[in-house]
């Protein structure tokens, strides 16, 4: 109060102060004096328009320093907000126009929320913005014109929203746009030609929109574009004839459009790893020149109207893992040269008009996982050589004209889970050897001319889910060993010449849903089936069965058509020749009857439950061959690697007792990890992610398939995944020692890692990541993945090294503190905020390599060119082969490393300030 | 099995591939006199039959790599073997490989070109020893070692098709010698510190398809153009003066012409009407004068017309200016001193989605034809002198939300009978008042609703931000007083 008093006393001073006030006020509204407070109040405005149901932004409040608020990053000097990362926080509401007041923003990430409304025009006022990610929200409206004012923008990710309108041509006025992902919206109109005239655009993701028009020849103007994806739009017209000029493309996906015309001959000039043309209306022949695209990992031409033969030269594609030609009108025979595609995992030629024999050369495809030639006109015998494809999981020869017998050598196909030879002209008996294929879950030999009796050893196929031997000439009894098929759900033996009784043991099959034995010569009664509670489909008609149909249980619920044609079979509900003795007993309701009714009700209840909970299985016969995993509603297990020789989701649930706590081996922030020992005695780790965004499932799936196709000795391999109601399940190699993180930070810390070991681990991790970044053949990866990887490398190399400088353990084991210092610097580089400031993974690898002592004699020997079978070896190993011979003294830095550090020298100095 | 293709101008050459099958393959780009075989590049097995790289070129590549701080590359035994990022090669008919493309700079992790040491890198003259070079790409390479564009690049004579020197910090003028690169298709000098004028010699670049000289300090006039194949002309953010040359008529293939943010003056030439393929025309932030040429309506392919920030000097939008612009989606005429009424015909352009006519002197009422613009997503008419009723129905207003800006038009009002009365909050944003009509006597006379319903208008919101900062100012003031008071 003292100062007020003094003011009143001195009038002249008060005046001067007033002038000062005015000057101050006028300057404050324009000047920079209160810039930081503007940022704070802008943030509060932004918060106001969000609907923050989980109250994750509770600390965003007036009084506190906004630089410490969740998701806010400030510049160290100006205290301007430079990054806003509020991804995955379950935020609703809208994006406030106040975002435009944060002039210093470099990056905005609001992905994975529930934000609605439109993108505010004011976003165009964030003139420094380099990265804008609003993906996975429910934002609607047009892409605002003002986005084209963001001249610094490099990354624009708006995928998975509800955006409408055209892709504005003015996006081409963003000179630095490198990564444009507008996938999965409702954008319409043409792809603007101007977008292709950009020297730096790398990634163009436009899949799953309503884009129309045709592909412009300008698409090959882009010198740096490696990812071009317009899958699932409504594009028409031809593939541009100059497509061969798109030499930078790594991934070309124009699938699921309405493209017409022929595949241009020129396409052979591409060096793509993925070529996806499926689901169009392409006609003409498969150009032979495709056989020269040796970088191809995935070639998918399926579901078009292609004619002519399969060019034998495709056999030249020795790096291709997936060849899909199904659903066309291809003629001629399967070229034996395909047997040279040694890396092939998937070969699908089904639903064509192929004739001739199945070439025995296919037996050379030892990595083959799935072979599908169903629905063709193939003749001749099934080549015995196929039994050399020891990784074969899936063999489908359905609906051809194959004859001969089933090769007993198929017993070598131990990984096989699906075998379908139905609707051919196969003769002879069922070889006993088939029962050695212990992993089989589907065996379909129906509609052939197979004779003899059913080998009792079929009962050894304990994982069998579907058994179909119908429409053959089988004789003899149904083996009692069928009772061992504990998992079996469907058995069809109809239209044969089977005799004898329905074995008692079938009553043990508690999972049996469907049993069809109609049109045989079976005798005896139905009492053995009384205990098959899960049975929902039964047909025993046209046999010689006798006795009463047991009443008061499930069997009595089946319609007469299930039982007709058995002259001696009696039931109250059919017009059988038997006298109807039951009607008289109806009047007094005995205790037993009440019990029966109660039991019946219970059974019905159970039935309903089963029907609801069971995944829908396609009917055993009609399930064709176009069974691509796209529209399954039930949890399905997608298997990505052969060594995961398991069958279905249910198997996993059985083995882990529905993911019982017993099997938990660890917890993470977003997941629980279980251990599951597979049928083949190999363990896998199951990671259960808690489901966050149901709308992103499809995306999750796509990404997973990408990750799944990556193999490197230093990366844990994803073997499969399943999207189930109990969370998304990921199946990984089981690692005895846990993750690197556990090793470094685990409470046990059993063995202390010395410096050299740590360095080697870091190098291994870096090599793995470098592989992910550069060497990986299908170069389809999302930016999200990459961000994670940056985090990963931080936690692996950075944290490692940074921790160790303060960790006294380390100084004891390390002789060269200079090396520690270098690692420290490297770690700092890796944790730079701007990705462009960070070294590339190859550079990291190079530095680490130079520091690791080369004690292993193997590395010192200059290796010849890597054998063609190891694809991993492209860039990385070729480089190290060159590098290693001259690199004996590991503690001194080579010139290149010195330069690497010079290059980042200033960055280091900035960081350490 | 042979494949023959009969394009008249194409050279047909025979390639024997490692496999038994001969292929006849076509040169799609036969603009070069070099005898290279345009075979599909096969990354893995390339070069395995003893073919090797031309040793002179190999040495040159080492030099160039060293000059960019990539000395490690001298350990590569054969630069054309394996797929080294940033280096592309092609064989000649004797299976000797030649370097056709060199790229540098941290474009992204996906395109792992060799990076540059930005402090010490330079372009080595060894580049002139690559007689087959088609592409030269330097991105963010010399930023901290400012240097002019070397004149010897002009010696890359007839082969070079793509020259990209982007964000490299180049200084000085563009060398006239670049006019010798007669095969050039793409010239990209974006974001350097180049000064001087655009060389007249560029008119010799008759094959040019894209010229991007944007974000430099180029002065002088735009020289006469004679590039019939030119699709992209981007000169934005320079210091160019003078008129837009009428010679643009010689570039009928233009898809994009961006001359924004220069000091261009005079009217837009009538010759603009010859650019029938033009998709984007951006002349914003110049000193262009009106009136707009009537030929503008001939640009049938135009999707975006951006003239913002030109002192068009009391230009009126005449009725039929835009009549032929059936593909026009984006019309930005803010801040161009337009006056007079908005023509009804504007609402008849079927593709329009963005209209910015704000900060002009437009008067009259909003054309009712705007109701027909079903795809309209942004409409800015704020800061004009418009009067009369707002014609939009409630649904449009609700849908456009903040993208509809009508504020600072004191004469605009809306009719509560229009179905807007129970959802006025959106209009409130614009600070529009009720119309005073004879019919709706029950409604009180003109009354501002901008304080209603707890919604803040943009207009009002800005002022509240000011109030906010004012109060902060007051706080600081009090603090000062405290200090001063203590001093006294």
């Amino acid at each position: 109060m003292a100062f007020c008093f003094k003011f009143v006393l001195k009038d002249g001073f008060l005046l001067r102060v007033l002038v000062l006030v005015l000057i101050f006020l006028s300057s404050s509204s324009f000047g920079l004096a209160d810039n930081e407070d503007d940022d704070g109040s802008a943030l509060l405005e932004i918060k106001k328009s969000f609907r923050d149901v989980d109250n994750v932004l509770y600390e965003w409040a007036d009084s506190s320093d906004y630089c410490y608020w969740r998701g806010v990053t400030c510049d160290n000097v100006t205290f301007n907000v430079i990054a806003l990362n509020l991804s995955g926080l379950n935020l609703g509401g809208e994006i406030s126009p106040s975002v435009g007041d944060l002039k210093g923003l470099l990056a905005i990430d609001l992905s994975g929320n529930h934000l609605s409304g439109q993108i505010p025009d004011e976003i165009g006022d964030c003139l420094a913005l380099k990265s804008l990610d609003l993906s996975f929200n429910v934002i609607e409206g047009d892409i605002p014109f003002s986005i084209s004012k963001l001249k610094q923008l490099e990354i624009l990710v708006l995928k998975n929203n509800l955006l409408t309108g055209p892709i504005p041509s003015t996006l081409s006025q963003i000179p630095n746009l490198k990564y444009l992902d507008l996938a999965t919206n409702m954008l319409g109109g043409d792809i603007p030609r101007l977008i292709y005239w950009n020297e730096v655009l790398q990634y163009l993701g436009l899949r799953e929109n309503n884009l129309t028009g045709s592909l412009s020849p300008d698409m090959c103007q882009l010198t740096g574009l490696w990812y071009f994806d317009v899958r699932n739009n409504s594009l028409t017209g031809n593939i541009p004839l100059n497509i061969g000029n798109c030499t930078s493309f790594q991934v070309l996906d124009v699938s699921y459009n309405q493209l017409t015309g022929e595949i241009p001959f020129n396409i052979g000039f591409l060096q793509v790893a993925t070529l996806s043309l499926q689901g169009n209306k392409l006609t003409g022949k498969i150009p032979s020149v495709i056989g020269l695209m040796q970088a191809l990992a995935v070639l998918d031409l399926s579901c078009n109207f292609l004619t002519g033969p399969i060019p034998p030269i495709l056999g030249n594609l020795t790096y291709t893992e997936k060849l899909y030609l199904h659903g066309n009108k291809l003629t001629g025979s399967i070229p034996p040269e395909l047997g040279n595609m040694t890396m092939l995992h998937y070969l699908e030629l089904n639903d064509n008009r192929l004739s001739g024999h199945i070439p025995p050369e296919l037996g050379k495809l030892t990595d083959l996982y799935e072979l599908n030639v169903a629905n063709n006109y193939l003749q001749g015998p099934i080549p015995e050589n196929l039994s050399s494809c020891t990784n074969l999981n899936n063999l489908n020869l359905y609906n051809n004209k194959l004859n001969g017998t089933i090769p007993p050598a198929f017993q070598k196909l131990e990984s096989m889970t699906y075998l379908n030879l139905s609707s051919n002209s196969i003769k002879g008996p069922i070889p006993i050897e088939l029962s050695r294929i212990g992993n089989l879950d589907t065996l379909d030999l129906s509609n052939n001319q197979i004779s003899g009796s059913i080998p009792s050893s079929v009962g050894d196929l304990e994982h069998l889910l579907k058994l179909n031997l119908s429409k053959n000439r089988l004789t003899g009894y149904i083996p009692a060993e069928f009772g061992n098929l504990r998992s079996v759900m469907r058995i069809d033996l109809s239209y044969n010449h089977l005799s004898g009784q329905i074995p008692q043991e079938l009553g043990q099959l508690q999972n049996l849903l469907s049993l069809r034995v109609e049109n045989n010569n079976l005798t005896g009664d139905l009492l053995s089936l009384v205990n098959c509670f899960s049975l929902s489909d039964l047909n025993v008609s046209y046999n010689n069965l006798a006795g009463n149909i047991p009443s008061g249980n499930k069997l009595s619920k089946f319609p007469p058509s299930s039982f007709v044609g058995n002259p001696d079979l009696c039931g109250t509900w059919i017009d059988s020749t038997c006298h109807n003795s039951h009607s008289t007993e109806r009047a007094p309701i005995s205790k037993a009857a009440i019990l029966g009714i109660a039991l019946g009700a219970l059974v019905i209840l159970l039935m309903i439950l089963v029907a609801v909970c069971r995944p829908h299985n396609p009917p055993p016969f009609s399930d064709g061959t176009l069974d691509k995993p796209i529209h399954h509603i039930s949890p399905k297990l997608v298997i990505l690697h052969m060594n995961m020789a398991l069958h279905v989701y249910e198997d996993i649930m059985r083995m882990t007792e529905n993911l019982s706590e017993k099997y938990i081996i660890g917890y993470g922030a977003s997941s629980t990890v279980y251990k599951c020992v597979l049928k083949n005695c190999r363990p896998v780790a199951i990671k259960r992610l808690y489901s966050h965004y149901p709308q992103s499932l499809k995306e999750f799936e796509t990404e997973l398939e990408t990750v799944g196709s990556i193999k490197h000795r230093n990366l844990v391999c994803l073997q499969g995944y399943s999207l189930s109601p109990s969370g998304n399940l990921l199946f990984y190699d089981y690692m005895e020692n846990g993750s690197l993180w556990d090793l470094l930070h685990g409470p046990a810390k059993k063995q202390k890692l010395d410096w050299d070991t740590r360095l080697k681990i870091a190098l291994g991790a870096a090599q793995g990541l470098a592989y992910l970044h550069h060497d990986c053949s299908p170069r389809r990866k999302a930016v999200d993945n990459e961000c994670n990887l940056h985090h990963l490398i931080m936690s692996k190399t950075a944290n490692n090294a940074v921790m160790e400088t303060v960790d006294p353990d380390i100084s004891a084991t390390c002789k060269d503190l200079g090396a520690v210092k270098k690692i420290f610097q490297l770690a700092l580089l890796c944790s730079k905020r701007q990705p462009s400031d960070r070294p590339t993974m190859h550079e990291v690898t190079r530095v680490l390599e130079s520091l690791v002592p080369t004690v292993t004699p193997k590395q010192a020997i200059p290796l010849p060119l890597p054998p063609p079978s190891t694809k991993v070896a492209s860039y990385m190993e070729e480089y190290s082969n060159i590098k290693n011979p001259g690199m004996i003294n590991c503690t001194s830095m080579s010139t290149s490393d010195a330069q690497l550090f010079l290059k980042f020298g200033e960055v280091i100095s900035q960081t350490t300030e | 099995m042979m494949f023959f293709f009969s394009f008249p101008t194409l050279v047909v050459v025979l390639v024997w591939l490692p496999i038994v099958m001969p292929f006849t393959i076509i040169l799609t780009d036969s603009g070069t006199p070099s005898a290279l075989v345009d075979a599909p590049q096969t990354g893995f097995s390339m070069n395995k039959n003893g073919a090797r790289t031309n040793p002179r070129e190999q040495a040159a590549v080492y030099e160039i790599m060293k000059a960019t701080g990539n000395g490690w590359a001298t350990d590569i035994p054969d630069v054309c073997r394996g797929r080294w990022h940033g280096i592309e090669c092609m064989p000649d008919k004797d299976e000797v490989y030649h370097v056709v493309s060199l790229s540098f700079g941290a474009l992204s992790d996906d395109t792992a070109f060799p990076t540059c040491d930005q402090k010490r890198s330079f372009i080595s003259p060894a580049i002139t020893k690559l007689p087959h070079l088609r592409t030269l790409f330097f991105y963010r390479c010399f930023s901290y070692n400012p240097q002019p564009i070397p004149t010897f690049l002009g010696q890359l004579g007839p082969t070079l098709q793509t020259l990209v020197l982007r964000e490299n910090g180049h200084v000085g003028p563009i060398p006239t010698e670049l006019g010798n690169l007669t095969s050039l298709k793409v010239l990209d000098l974006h974001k350097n510190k180049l000064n001087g004028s655009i060389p007249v010699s560029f008119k010799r670049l008759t094959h040019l398809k894209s010229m991007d000289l944007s974000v430099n300090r180029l002065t002088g006039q735009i020289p006469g153009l004679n590039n019939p194949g030119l699709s992209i002309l981007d000169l934005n953010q320079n210091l160019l003066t003078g008129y837009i040359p009428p010679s643009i008529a010689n570039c009928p293939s233009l898809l994009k012409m961006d001359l924004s943010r220069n000091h261009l003056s005079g009217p837009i030439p009538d010759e603009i009407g010859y650019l029938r393929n033009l998709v984007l025309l951006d002349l914003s932030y110049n000193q262009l004068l009106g009136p707009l040429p009537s030929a503008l309506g001939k640009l049938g392919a135009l999707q975006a017309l951006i003239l913002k920030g030109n002192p068009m000097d009391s230009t009126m939008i005449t009725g039929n200016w835009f009549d032929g612009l059936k593909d026009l989606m984006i019309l930005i005429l803010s801040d161009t001193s337009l006056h007079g009424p908005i023509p009804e015909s504007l609402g008849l352009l079927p593709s329009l989605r963005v209209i910015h006519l704000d900060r002009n002197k437009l008067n009259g009422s909003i054309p009712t034809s705007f109701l027909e613009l079903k795809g309209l997503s942004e409409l800015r008419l704020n800061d004009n002198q418009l009067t009369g009723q707002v014609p939009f129905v409630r649904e449009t207003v609700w849908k456009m939300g903040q993208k509809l800006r009508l504020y600072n038009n004191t004469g605009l009002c809306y009719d509560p009978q229009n179905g807007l009365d129970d959802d006025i909050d959106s209009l409130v944003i614009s600070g529009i008042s009720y119309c005073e009509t004879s019919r709706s006597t029950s409604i009180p006379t003109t009354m501002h609703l901008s304080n209603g319903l707890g919604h803040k208008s943009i207009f009002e919101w800005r002022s509240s931000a000011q109030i906010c900062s004012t109060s902060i100012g007051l706080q600081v003031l009090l603090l000062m007083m405290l200090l001063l008071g203590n001093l006294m």
Side-chain angles (χ1 to χ4, degrees), chain B residues 371-404:
Chain B
L371 282 170
E372 303 301 315
L373 294 170
K374 299 296 177 205
L376 199 61
S377 87
E378 295 179 28
L379 178 61
R380 295 192 186 172
L381 301 174
N382 54 287
D383 298 278
N384 277 294
Q385 289 146 21
L386 297 170
T387 52
Q389 269 187 27
V390 175
F392 302 115
V393 295
R394 178 183 163 189
E395 192 195 348
T396 317
V397 173
W398 179 80
K399 200 184 97 189
M400 292 183 70
Q402 307 222 14
K403 311 262 178 177
L404 176 64

Side-chain angles (χ1 to χ4, degrees), chain A residues 583-604:
Chain A
S583 54
T584 50
E585 292 173 15
R586 273 180 88 182
I589 301 173
S590 67
K591 275 184 186 173
I594 293 171
L595 198 73
I597 291 166
L599 261 175
L602 205 74
V603 166
I604 292 170

Side-chain angles (χ1 to χ4, degrees), chain A residues 482-498:
Chain A
F482 270 28
N484 299 333
L485 302 173
R486 300 200 181 277
S487 323
V488 80
M489 295 161 81
R490 290 168 193 278
I491 296 177
D492 191 343
L493 305 174
S494 60
Y495 295 94
N496 276 296
H497 309 303
L498 298 170

Side-chain angles (χ1 to χ4, degrees), chain A residues 108-285:
Chain A
I108 298 177
D109 184 356
L110 303 177
S111 61
N113 286 295
H114 309 292
L115 298 171
S116 56
Q118 302 198 32
I119 302 172
D121 288 356
E122 285 75 6
I123 205 119
D125 297 339
C126 305
L127 290 175
L129 208 57
K130 281 188 165 177
S131 170
L132 176 59
D133 187 348
L134 307 178
S135 57
F136 295 102
N137 281 293
V138 284
I139 299 170
E140 36 184 43
D142 283 29
I143 299 171
F145 166 73
S146 62
I147 290 229
S148 57
K149 295 201 293 185
L150 301 171
K151 302 292 185 198
Q152 305 299 322
L153 200 63
E154 296 186 1
I155 297 168
L156 179 58
V157 185
L158 305 177
K159 66 179 167 185
N160 292 72
N161 278 294
L162 305 172
L163 296 172
T164 49
I167 301 173
S169 286
T170 47
L171 284 188
S172 71
Q173 293 186 295
I174 307 176
N176 279 313
L177 198 59
K178 293 176 179 174
Y179 193 106
L180 178 61
D181 197 345
L182 307 175
T184 320
N185 278 290
M186 301 187 296
L187 298 168
D190 289 18
I191 303 170
R193 276 173 81 179
L194 289 179
I195 212 98
Y196 301 127
W197 293 85
N198 177 336
E199 289 298 324
V200 297
L201 192 66
Q202 311 279 299
Y203 184 107
L204 184 59
L206 303 176
R207 69 158 63 185
E208 287 167 37
N209 279 290
N210 303 326
L211 300 170
T212 53
S214 53
L215 290 169
S216 163
D218 292 0
M219 67 189 265
C220 295
Q221 276 303 324
L222 292 156
T223 38
L225 193 76
W226 66 269
Y227 186 94
F228 185 91
D229 179 3
V230 294
R231 172 192 282 247
N232 210 351
N233 280 288
S234 306
L235 300 173
T236 51
N238 297 338
I239 299 173
L241 282 176
N242 66 343
I243 188 84
N245 294 352
C246 301
T247 48
S248 60
F249 282 14
Q250 299 277 338
V251 173
L252 174 59
D253 190 340
V254 299
S255 59
Y256 304 106
N257 280 289
Q258 273 117 50
L259 300 176
T260 49
E262 302 195 358
I263 302 173
F265 177 79
N266 239 332
I267 208 159
F269 288 72
L270 298 183
Q271 301 161 37
V272 290
T274 301
L275 180 61
S276 299
L277 308 179
Q278 73 271 23
N280 281 295
K281 296 173 177 171
L282 299 171
T283 50
K285 293 180 178 178

Side-chain angles (χ1 to χ4, degrees), chain A residues 3 6-7 10 13 17 20-21 24-25 28-29 34 37-38 41 45 48 97-98 101 118-122 142-146 149 151-152 154 164-166 168-170 172-173 175-176 178 192-194 197-200 202 218 221 223-224 226 245 247 250 265-266 268-271 288-289 292 294-295 313 316 319 773-774 779 781 786 790 836 840 843 846 865 874-875 878-879 882-883 896 899 902-903 906, chain B residues 1 3 5 17 19 23-26 28-29 38-42 44-45 69-72 75 77 81-85 88 106-112 115-116 119-120 137 139-140 144 164 166-167 186 188 190-191 209-210 231-232 255-256 258 279-280 282 303-304 306 329-330 332 353-354 356 375 377-378 380 399-400 402-403 405 456 458 461-462 466 468-470 472-473 476-477 480-482 484-485 488:
Chain A
F3 64 90
K6 281 179 189 169
F7 286 156
K10 303 196 173 182
F13 181 73
V17 167
L20 218 105
V21 169
F24 193 81
L25 278 183
S28 71
S29 51
D34 57 344
D37 288 300
D38 268 356
S41 53
E45 283 297 324
K48 234 186 255 175
S98 303
D101 291 343
Q118 302 198 32
I119 302 172
D121 288 356
E122 285 75 6
D142 283 29
I143 299 171
F145 166 73
S146 62
K149 295 201 293 185
K151 302 292 185 198
Q152 305 299 322
E154 296 186 1
T164 49
S169 286
T170 47
S172 71
Q173 293 186 295
N176 279 313
K178 293 176 179 174
R193 276 173 81 179
L194 289 179
W197 293 85
N198 177 336
E199 289 298 324
V200 297
Q202 311 279 299
D218 292 0
Q221 276 303 324
T223 38
W226 66 269
N245 294 352
T247 48
Q250 299 277 338
F265 177 79
N266 239 332
F269 288 72
L270 298 183
Q271 301 161 37
S288 296
V289 73
L292 302 181
Q294 286 207 311
I313 194 182
N316 204 29
Y319 291 91
H773 276 249
H774 295 304
R779 296 185 59 185
K781 52 187 184 245
E786 275 207 84
H790 283 304
S836 56
T840 70
E843 287 166 336
R846 223 153 60 209
L865 267 179
S874 48
Y875 188 108
E878 204 168 331
Y879 185 79
I882 296 161
K883 202 74 201 170
S896 62
Q899 278 161 356
L902 268 175
K903 175 184 145 198
E906 51 170 323
Chain B
M1 216 195 217
F3 293 83
F5 279 66
L17 289 146
I19 24 94
F23 271 86
T24 308
I25 286 167
I26 312 165
T28 46
D29 273 333
D38 213 346
Q41 270 190 308
T42 52
F44 300 101
S45 65
N70 292 291
W72 54 270
D75 289 344
R81 178 178 218 136
R83 284 181 61 184
W84 290 93
H85 293 277
E88 279 180 45
L107 199 53
S108 76
D109 274 2
D110 299 315
T111 312
T115 50
C116 303
K119 277 186 169 170
R120 300 189 311 180
F137 186 104
Y139 176 70
R140 295 187 182 169
Y144 301 108
V164 179
R166 220 177 148 87
E167 301 188 31
V186 175
D188 182 351
H190 169 78
K191 208 173 186 182
K209 291 168 96 175
S210 169
S231 293
I232 306 293
L255 297 175
K256 169 176 164 181
D258 188 346
V279 173
L280 190 153
D282 190 347
Q303 291 181 4
I306 306 166
M329 293 184 207
I330 298 171
I332 311 291
R353 303 192 76 95
V354 177
H356 290 188
S377 87
E378 295 179 28
R380 295 192 186 172
K399 200 184 97 189
M400 292 183 70
Q402 307 222 14
K403 311 262 178 177
R405 301 189 178 179
K456 282 186 171 178
I458 293 192
W461 176 83
R462 294 231 185 272
Q466 247 168 28
C468 194
S469 59
T470 311
I472 289 153
V476 177
L477 183 82
M480 279 173 56
M481 284 176 165
L482 189 79
L484 286 170
M488 274 178 270

Side-chain angles (χ1 to χ4, degrees), chain B residues 8-118:
Chain B
T9 57
L10 298 180
V11 185
V12 178
V13 280
L14 197 74
V15 190
W16 285 90
L17 289 146
I19 24 94
V20 279
M21 215 153 293
F23 271 86
T24 308
I25 286 167
I26 312 165
L27 260 176
T28 46
D29 273 333
S30 58
T32 61
S34 63
L36 295 187
V37 173
D38 213 346
Q41 270 190 308
T42 52
F44 300 101
S45 65
M46 187 167 94
N47 230 357
K48 68 182 168 195
N49 293 348
R52 43 170 326 197
T53 308
N54 179 307
R56 242 173 80 84
E57 295 184 29
Q58 168 106 354
V61 170
Y62 287 161
E63 284 303 308
I64 298 157
M65 292 288 259
K66 269 194 275 183
T68 51
N70 292 291
W72 54 270
T74 51
D75 289 344
I76 305 175
D78 187 340
V79 291
C80 291
R81 178 178 218 136
R83 284 181 61 184
W84 290 93
H85 293 277
I87 305 175
E88 279 180 45
C89 303
M90 273 190 188
D92 62 17
K93 57 184 186 305
D94 301 324
E95 289 264 312
V96 175
Y97 277 76
H98 300 282
V99 178
V100 294
S101 170
L102 282 178
S103 304
F104 293 89
L107 199 53
S108 76
D109 274 2
D110 299 315
T111 312
F113 296 150
T115 50
C116 303
D117 174 353
Q118 295 196 37

